[in-house]
Amino acid sequence: MRHTLAVLVENNPGVLARVAGLFSRRGYNIDSLAVGRTDNPAISRMTIVVEGDDRVLEQVTKQLHKLIDVIKISDITADEYVDRELVLIKVNAEPEKRGEIMQIADIFRARIVDLGRRTMILECTGNEGKIKAFEESLKPYGIKELVRTGKIAMLRGSRYTNINSNGSKEDD
Amino acid sequence: MKITAAQALVRCLELEKVDIVFGYPGGAMLPVYDALYHSSIKHVLVRHEQGAVHAADGYARATGKVGVCMATSGPGATNLVTGIANAYMDSVPLVVFTGQVPTSQVGTDAFQEVDITGITIPITKHNYLVKDPAALPQIIKNAFHIASTGRPGPVLIDLPKDVAGEMIDFYYPETVRLRGYKPTYRGHHNKIIEAAELINRSQRPVIYAGGGIINSGASEELLELAELISAPVTNTFMGLSSFPGDHPLFLGMLGLHGTRYANLAVTECDLLIALGARFDDRVTGKLAKFAPHAAVIHVDIDPAEIGKNVPVHVPIVGDVKLVLRALLPLLKKTDRSPWLDRIRELRELFPLRYNREDGLKPQYIIEELYRHTGGLATIATDVGQHQMWVAQYYRFKRPRGLISSGGLGTMGFGLPAAVGAQLGLPGQQVILVTGDGSFQMTMQELATVREQDLPIKIFMLNNQSLGMVRQLQEYYCEGRYMAVDFKFHPDFITLARAYDIKGYTIQTEEEARQVIPEVLTEPGPVLVNCLVSPQEKVLPMVPSGCGIDETFES
């Protein structure tokens, strides 16, 4: 089963290497990892999607906790949350195909962020399923290049994952 | 007052009450060594950086204090790696300083540059690359705190040469600032009650006690627990010396080379009380056959160890001493004579034994060492057969009596570790039991022994081979001995003499009886070359892939 972890870490150099190294040396499978700083510049937040059963997840969580730079881990998989990815796709767009592609973009509420003589770059956000469907729809035109951010996620409602919060499931 | 960061480093060590550091200087460490010149801290110059880190490790294990060592950048730092990994595996508190090339050169493949923080991420509890000289005191404060609290371990601080030379306003913080690090010391109250209920109901409990007992100083509580509930105690290798080796409830070590009666007691028990132990593969053998009838109580300060290898009925995260103190008042004194009778029977059926015919046996030497020291000496060992014989035949009566590489199994650990232990325990008897293989990996430290005038007694069980591997090749490779027999040895007595160290060779029981007591009372260091048979094996033994009830003895 895939789990989504929201992990608060010290915004120190090397923290990504520590986390990524932990996953690889203990043989855990990362599906995706997205990281960026939070409203507090000293703290970064990682969203890690990891594959494994409950026992594996327990170990992942405990081993992550052992890293001094890891402040807090929340497994939000079982809760209501919003998750998003962002994708940029450069697709072949000969003038006669542009209309069709723009219609597809419309359906997915994607945006055209660059228009070249023969290509377009489209930007789309959404959960994994939507991103996948969007990619599939553009495939027939010839995808030249694709880049995606990995998933970020946030609990719905008034609960939150933050330091000193009591609204979330803290794992320790 | 402004001082250099290097001077601040030395001030911090003084304020942490560090009285001794082990190290080896180099270009990138010039500022730090220059600062040490003016300090009262004793610096022990080893002959190889590996010696420095093992000595700091031996010092920490012997005293319970944080061991400190330092080396220069590049090869100095990489030579520490084995020792850092060794300390990490055995949860030994170390603070390790390495020099680094100046910050402007970091990342340019400069002379003697290596990314030591990158290299040591998996083998340190935490590490730091110091970029801001003003942050150094706080980093050192944090490092000592991290190394010595919770589950102890090594912390490395990498200090670029230019940072070390910068001037800072010195101020040593009184508190640590680590929001991501809060070890749990007190066990969960309800879990402790559950554990007490399980223990009170149990008919056949066994206490399985590991190195956590030693780290938390819980030997007295362990003894009280065992006697109160009439439960036999088995030790992991790391746990040896935490329970008196001659106590009637003591089963000796369990696992791969454990006593048959310890392994069978664990197999038959209905409750396994795991205290500061981690269900290592050398202990459990085949997991499905480990304590198959037992409920498991697992007390450990590291939550990641609980449930890692075996399912646990009552998990208790906490310091084992504090948990036992909370648990003891909840326990009833219970008569478990049928179980203790069964233990007695197992002990009589399957005693530890060896054949004393045909020359001097290594086990005999260990027994003689035990007899003459009353189990009170500090025994450092290397890794291999001799190490297991110490575990089996030396009955430790004092916590921290055994200084040995358990988790990593580092040959070459013994001599430098003995150096550190003896420096930490001046005036006390420190004995190194080593093998001819291990000894030759770090024997350059004989120079340190001599230079520091350490009265270490070295017993080298010399079977002219790598006995443990030889034994494995006999069992698993049908006796095809590959690269295990030494066709050349130096004359160890002459070698010792070259270091101005006395040497003896013994090869009969008679000589052992005569020489051992004599050597133990010598004022200075002595090397005893004990010629023993390469055929002798460590037994009993659990064959690879089997349960621990399936030991064989010949």
Side-chain angles (χ1 to χ4, degrees):
Chain A
M1 181 181 164
R2 288 165 75 187
H3 288 253
T4 302
L5 306 179
V7 183
L8 295 174
V9 299
E10 297 287 348
N11 187 11
N12 286 342
V15 65
L16 183 59
R18 288 178 203 279
V19 171
L22 173 72
F23 276 79
S24 72
R25 73 175 171 272
R26 294 210 179 253
Y28 310 138
N29 295 316
I30 296 186
D31 261 33
S32 80
L33 190 159
V35 58
R37 74 164 184 79
T38 63
D39 53 319
N40 178 345
I43 296 176
S44 292
R45 175 158 162 164
M46 294 184 177
T47 306
I48 305 175
V49 181
V50 56
E51 176 77 40
D53 58 22
D54 287 350
R55 251 195 84 193
V56 170
L57 252 291
E58 189 184 325
Q59 266 298 307
V60 168
T61 311
K62 285 173 167 179
Q63 294 294 348
L64 276 173
H65 258 303
K66 285 177 73 167
L67 298 178
I68 309 291
D69 282 340
V70 169
I71 302 165
K72 182 169 176 163
I73 304 161
S74 311
D75 184 349
I76 62 171
T77 315
D79 299 304
E80 290 287 319
Y81 62 87
V82 181
D83 64 313
R84 289 289 182 272
E85 266 192 83
L86 184 145
V87 67
L88 294 175
I89 299 179
K90 185 179 287 178
V91 68
N92 285 330
E94 296 293 338
E96 65 274 18
K97 297 284 185 193
R98 281 184 190 166
E100 285 175 39
I101 293 172
M102 285 162 82
Q103 273 185 353
I104 292 172
D106 223 27
I107 292 165
F108 286 93
R109 272 174 287 161
R111 297 198 310 144
I112 293 153
V113 290
D114 178 69
L115 186 59
R117 282 204 303 143
R118 292 183 167 161
T119 59
M120 282 171 145
I121 298 178
L122 293 104
E123 170 202 299
C124 181
T125 60
N127 63 20
E128 198 191 346
K130 177 180 166 189
I131 300 289
K132 201 173 163 201
F134 183 55
E135 183 190 336
E136 288 299 320
S137 314
L138 291 177
K139 258 189 189 163
Y141 303 94
I143 292 174
K144 307 291 282 179
E145 200 177 343
L146 183 151
V147 57
R148 58 203 284 179
T149 57
K151 174 162 126 176
I152 57 172
M154 191 177 273
L155 287 170
R156 287 184 184 274
S158 57
R159 300 194 311 152
Y160 52 91
T161 295
N162 210 334
I163 49 170
N164 306 325
S165 78
N166 42 19
S168 79
K169 274 189 4 182
E170 198 170 352
D171 209 282
D172 49 19
Chain B
M1 189 188 68
K2 280 201 183 288
I3 56 176
T4 66
Q7 287 166 335
L9 184 157
V10 173
R11 278 299 292 142
C12 293
L13 294 184
E14 287 165 356
L15 291 166
E16 286 291 337
K17 300 192 173 57
V18 172
D19 48 14
I20 190 164
V21 300
F22 302 88
Y24 206 104
M29 283 297 266
L30 278 179
V32 173
Y33 273 78
D34 198 30
L36 271 173
Y37 184 85
H38 300 284
S39 171
S40 59
I41 295 174
K42 179 184 172 79
H43 178 275
V44 175
L45 176 64
V46 292
R47 295 301 186 267
H48 185 292
E49 288 88 352
Q50 186 184 358
V53 60
H54 287 329
D57 181 322
Y59 173 89
R61 290 185 209 232
T63 62
K65 295 192 268 188
V66 176
V68 180
C69 65
M70 46 185 61
T72 193
S73 63
T78 52
N79 278 343
L80 297 173
V81 168
T82 300
I84 295 170
N86 187 71
Y88 185 69
M89 289 288 271
D90 285 349
S91 309
V92 177
L94 296 186
V95 172
V96 178
F97 292 94
T98 48
Q100 183 55 279
V101 300
T103 29
S104 59
Q105 292 177 23
V106 167
T108 65
D109 303 318
F111 176 65
Q112 293 196 330
E113 181 191 358
V114 74
D115 172 18
I116 197 64
T117 45
I119 288 171
T120 56
I121 283 176
I123 53 169
T124 49
K125 195 167 166 186
H126 196 51
N127 63 24
Y128 295 93
L129 170 61
V130 185
K131 289 182 173 160
D132 171 12
L136 182 63
Q138 182 72 59
I139 286 174
I140 294 176
K141 182 79 192 172
N142 291 354
F144 275 86
H145 179 73
I146 292 168
S148 59
T149 56
R151 179 177 181 174
V155 178
L156 180 139
I157 300 173
D158 196 25
L159 184 62
K161 189 178 180 184
D162 58 328
V163 175
E166 280 187 55
M167 303 299 278
I168 61 168
D169 280 315
F170 180 70
Y171 153 77
Y172 197 52
E174 292 191 351
T175 51
V176 293
R177 288 210 313 256
L178 294 162
R179 53 189 154 192
Y181 179 70
K182 292 179 233 72
T184 306
Y185 292 103
R186 300 202 174 272
H188 194 284
H189 184 60
N190 292 347
K191 292 290 170 198
I192 291 175
I193 291 173
E194 270 181 59
E197 283 167 357
L198 266 184
I199 293 171
N200 287 333
R201 275 206 310 271
S202 157
Q203 312 269 307
R204 301 186 307 280
V206 167
I207 299 169
Y208 150 55
I213 300 287
I214 290 170
N215 281 336
S216 81
S219 289
E220 278 176 38
E221 288 77 5
L222 173 63
L223 181 61
E224 196 181 332
L225 171 73
E227 289 181 344
L228 177 68
I229 66 170
S230 299
V233 176
T234 181
N235 270 150
T236 67
F237 180 72
M238 291 305 299
L240 287 171
S241 82
S242 68
F243 194 80
D246 58 347
H247 195 283
L249 287 170
F250 189 53
L251 297 170
M253 183 173 73
L254 82 165
L256 179 67
H257 290 303
T259 64
R260 185 106 193 252
Y261 44 89
N263 286 342
L264 290 173
V266 168
T267 305
E268 292 180 16
C269 74
D270 67 354
L271 175 66
L272 189 68
I273 307 168
L275 305 174
R278 61 186 179 95
F279 296 85
D280 173 74
D281 56 272
R282 303 281 115 161
V283 160
T284 61
K286 187 178 178 180
L287 277 170
K289 296 194 72 180
F290 184 72
H293 313 295
V296 176
I297 297 169
H298 191 179
V299 183
D300 204 288
I301 198 152
D302 181 357
E305 289 302 344
I306 294 179
K308 186 176 82 175
N309 294 335
V310 301
V312 172
H313 301 81
V314 182
I316 304 177
V317 177
D319 176 80
V320 67
K321 186 186 183 90
L322 297 178
V323 170
L324 288 183
R325 281 207 181 147
L327 178 67
L328 282 164
L330 308 176
L331 299 175
K332 291 192 299 231
K333 191 159 180 65
T334 314
D335 173 45
R336 295 191 167 90
S337 36
W339 176 227
L340 294 183
D341 288 344
R342 173 65 182 152
I343 297 288
R344 204 167 300 122
E345 186 185 14
L346 289 173
R347 204 190 282 277
E348 280 160 18
L349 281 171
F350 309 109
L352 258 188
R353 60 175 173 217
Y354 63 96
N355 187 347
R356 271 176 66 181
E357 285 155 29
D358 322 320
L360 179 60
K361 290 302 171 78
Q363 299 93 328
Y364 182 78
I365 297 167
I366 310 299
E367 287 196 307
E368 281 295 285
L369 287 174
Y370 169 69
R371 208 162 62 79
H372 288 290
T373 57
L376 295 170
T378 298
I379 309 280
T381 84
D382 261 297
V383 171
Q385 287 183 313
H386 69 273
Q387 180 190 32
M388 290 299 107
W389 286 318
V390 166
Q392 291 175 334
Y393 290 95
Y394 194 88
R395 283 176 273 164
F396 293 92
K397 288 196 200 150
R398 195 175 51 77
R400 302 190 177 277
L402 175 64
I403 312 284
S404 189
S405 166
L408 196 65
T410 310
M411 289 173 69
F413 172 77
L415 182 60
V419 165
Q422 185 73 77
L423 282 161
L425 305 171
Q428 293 191 42
Q429 180 111 65
V430 174
I431 296 171
L432 168 65
V433 179
T434 181
D436 48 320
S438 292
F439 182 65
Q440 292 187 78
M441 283 198 176
T442 50
M443 65 185 177
Q444 78 282 349
E445 299 306 332
L446 285 176
T448 314
V449 170
R450 183 69 280 172
E451 190 167 88
Q452 300 293 328
D453 202 16
L454 303 174
I456 298 167
K457 308 298 182 279
I458 304 166
F459 290 83
M460 182 176 69
L461 308 189
N462 180 355
N463 58 6
Q464 319 248 348
S465 71
L466 300 172
M468 189 58 100
V469 182
R470 195 174 199 281
Q471 170 171 347
L472 294 174
Q473 289 180 348
E474 176 165 338
Y475 292 136
Y476 299 130
C477 307
E478 295 158 339
R480 292 184 297 276
Y481 300 120
M482 180 61 200
V484 290
D485 291 311
F486 292 114
K487 294 183 189 75
F488 171 80
H489 261 337
D491 177 344
F492 286 106
I493 303 304
T494 310
L495 181 82
R497 196 176 307 130
Y499 286 99
D500 193 19
I501 289 171
K502 256 193 191 176
Y504 295 86
T505 296
I506 57 175
Q507 52 187 330
T508 63
E509 284 195 1
E510 179 58 36
E511 286 170 346
R513 277 193 295 275
Q514 202 191 331
V515 166
I516 289 174
E518 220 177 283
V519 163
L520 292 177
T521 52
E522 286 264 1
V526 181
L527 172 73
V528 185
N529 179 26
C530 312
L531 299 179
V532 296
S533 158
Q535 266 84 42
E536 197 61 28
K537 284 179 269 302
V538 179
L539 294 169
M541 173 171 168
V542 178
S544 170
C546 293
I548 60 168
D549 57 330
E550 298 173 80
T551 47
F552 65 92
E553 304 199 42
S554 58

